[in-house]
Amino acid sequence: MIRIYQAADLPEAHLIAGLLRQAGIDARVFNENAQGGLGDIPFGAAYPEVWLIDPADAGRANRLIKDFDGAPTEPGSVFCRACSEENPANFELCWKCGAKL
Ligand SMILES: [Zn+2]
């Protein structure tokens, strides 16, 4: 058994484990009951973890998780050339000064 991932919360842990299982990697979620017991557990030990049954899968699992983590979640931003204000990438005009981005 080898720990492959420490998730921020339980749904994320299950998401990662499901991702790995889909790829044929046997993965388990540990610390499932950690949430809610935060006061009793030292900080850092309370996060759900994803473990692999077979350490030989670690390389492939790491790549899958990296691809998953690296997926763009937001389009980014552009900076107005007129006033330097930050705008969402899908804006055509600066929300602050109205200049074309
Ligand atoms: Zn502007």
Side-chain angles (χ1 to χ4, degrees):
M1 298 270 293
I2 182 173
R3 192 182 78 168
I4 195 76
Y5 192 78
Q6 187 179 60
D9 52 35
L10 200 49
E12 190 192 10
H14 280 292
L15 200 67
I16 295 288
L19 190 80
L20 298 177
R21 278 191 218 112
Q22 259 179 23
I25 298 171
D26 201 357
R28 303 286 160 84
V29 175
F30 282 155
N31 282 355
E32 284 220 46
N33 303 317
Q35 310 267 315
L38 284 171
D40 305 325
I41 308 168
F43 186 75
Y47 292 100
E49 296 172 347
V50 181
W51 286 65
L52 301 183
I53 305 303
D54 185 356
D57 289 328
R60 206 153 63 91
N62 263 324
R63 271 195 301 278
L64 284 166
I65 294 170
K66 212 173 151 196
D67 284 351
F68 174 78
D69 266 351
T73 50
E74 54 187 68
S77 54
V78 291
F79 291 89
C80 175
R81 268 171 293 183
C83 71
S84 301
E85 188 59 48
E86 190 177 353
N87 284 266
N90 59 343
F91 275 34
E92 287 182 15
L93 300 175
C94 174
W95 65 265
K96 195 177 182 190
C97 72
K100 201 163 163 39
L101 295 168

